[in-house]
Amino acid sequence: MILALHAIDRHGADATTVTRVPVEGFPASGPPVVVVVAPILNCPGWSCTFVGEHEQIELTAMAIDPENRLWWRSPLRRLEAEALRDAMLAVAGQLDPQMGGSLLHVKNRGYFFDHTSKDETRYNVPRRSVYLPVVRNHLYDVFTLFDYTDASVMTGDRASTTVAPQALFLLNSDLVERASRRLARTVLASQTTDDSERIDRLCEHVLGRPATASDLRRCSRFLERIRGALPENSQPAATWSALCHVLLASNEFIYLKCPAEIEFP
C-alpha cells in the first residue's frame, strides 16, 4: 500500500495522497485510486513505469477537471534532484552502475564534517545518487537546490520550486560543465563529420527523440555563433561542449511531460 501511494504521488498526485491530509476542505482522492493500483503491483511483470503510463489529453476532461484533481492526465513535473544528477552522468557516460556498498569512509560514530575545520564529504563521485551520503547539516548542493527533503524530518512528499539559483546552477556548475565536455567528446568521436547528423544523434542521446527541422536549424545557427565567438585556434570540442551544455540545461531534459502535451518552445 505504501508503494502504491508513492507510485501514484510520483506519477501525478498532489501532497494530499501520501500524507492523506485534505487541502482546503477538498477530500483526499487517493484511497479509491490506491485500491486500483495496489493489486497491479502484485501482478507478474508489474513496474512503476507501467503504473505511470500516460493517457491522451482530452478537451472534455480539461473542461471538467482543469486542476487535475481526478488524475486524468500526468502533469508536467521536474526530475527529482537524484534523478537529474544521475541523468546527466548517464548521458555523459560517467554514471557508475555498481550496486551496493557505501561511500562513507569513517568509522562508526566518526565525524567527517563540522562547520569550522573539518570537511571530508565526497560528492564528486560517479556513483548513483542513492549512495551519496546525506549529511543533515551539510547537504549536497544539488539536493539543496532541487528540493530534496529535510533530512531531519520524516516526510513522504517533496516541494517542487522554480527559482533563479536552479538556473544559475545549470549554467555554472562543475557537474554540468564536466558532463557537457564528456558528451562533446563522445559526439566528436563518431564517424560522421556532418553537423546535422551529429545534432540528430545528440538529440537522440540526450532527449530521447530525433532532432526536428527546427532543432537542426537552431542548433546549427548556435554552433556557428559559438565558432565565431571563440578564438580561431579553439578546438571543436569547445563548440560542441557549449551545445551539449544547452541541451543538458534545457526544460526538455529536466522535465517529464505527457507526450500529448504542448512541445516546449
Side-chain angles (χ1 to χ4, degrees):
M1 186 66 71
I2 297 299
L3 177 59
L5 284 170
H6 281 277
I8 295 171
D9 180 64
R10 292 296 179 264
H11 291 92
D14 56 23
T16 62
T17 303
V18 175
T19 60
R20 311 289 284 273
V21 177
V23 175
E24 296 180 356
F26 190 91
S29 51
V33 180
V34 171
V35 171
V36 176
V37 174
I40 296 176
L41 301 182
N42 291 321
C43 296
W46 73 269
S47 69
C48 288
T49 302
F50 169 76
V51 174
E53 287 182 352
H54 303 294
E55 298 180 0
Q56 292 294 323
I57 295 179
E58 300 178 2
L59 293 178
T60 52
M62 178 65 79
I64 296 172
D65 182 28
E67 295 183 355
N68 197 33
R69 291 285 190 177
L70 301 178
W71 308 344
W72 56 274
R73 62 181 172 87
S74 180
L76 180 71
R77 66 184 181 89
R78 194 190 62 227
L79 289 174
E80 296 170 333
E82 302 96 317
L84 178 59
R85 173 188 175 273
D86 289 357
M88 288 187 179
L89 294 177
V91 297
Q94 297 176 303
L95 187 65
D96 181 358
Q98 178 185 347
M99 301 288 287
S102 173
L103 295 178
L104 293 178
H105 53 280
V106 296
K107 296 181 180 180
N108 189 29
R109 300 179 183 272
Y111 290 91
F112 57 95
F113 172 79
D114 61 39
H115 287 288
T116 57
S117 60
K118 190 173 184 178
D119 186 359
E120 298 181 12
T121 51
R122 298 175 183 174
Y123 295 123
N124 187 21
V125 291
R127 295 291 303 278
R128 291 169 54 208
S129 297
V130 68
Y131 296 108
L132 295 183
V134 176
V135 185
R136 296 178 184 178
N137 59 346
H138 187 48
L139 200 61
Y140 184 30
D141 55 358
V142 177
F143 292 175
T144 301
L145 283 170
F146 291 94
D147 304 321
Y148 194 83
T149 57
D150 185 347
S152 61
V153 179
M154 294 184 63
T155 177
D157 303 304
R158 291 192 183 186
S160 182
T161 62
T162 303
V163 293
Q166 294 167 350
L168 292 174
F169 174 86
L170 293 172
L171 287 174
N172 303 312
S173 75
D174 291 337
L175 170 66
V176 185
E177 182 64 28
R178 288 194 301 268
S180 300
R181 290 198 300 266
R182 178 67 179 268
L183 189 55
R185 290 197 294 269
T186 301
V187 172
L188 293 173
S190 62
Q191 295 181 352
T192 181
T193 58
D194 181 69
D195 280 356
S196 295
E197 290 187 22
R198 285 175 171 172
I199 293 170
D200 185 62
R201 293 184 181 184
L202 186 59
C203 286
E204 283 271 15
H205 188 65
V206 176
L207 304 180
R209 61 167 179 79
T212 64
S214 176
D215 293 331
L216 294 174
R217 183 176 62 256
R218 296 170 66 183
C219 289
S220 297
R221 188 163 60 242
F222 177 82
L223 290 173
E224 290 301 319
R225 291 176 58 187
I226 295 298
R227 287 174 180 138
L230 292 174
E232 293 184 2
N233 59 347
S234 297
Q235 297 295 322
T239 302
W240 283 93
S241 177
L243 179 59
C244 293
H245 197 139
V246 169
L247 292 182
L248 291 178
S250 67
N251 281 345
E252 189 167 354
F253 181 76
I254 65 177
Y255 278 86
L256 299 176
K257 65 186 182 70
C258 176
E261 291 179 13
I262 300 173
E263 294 291 334
F264 288 107

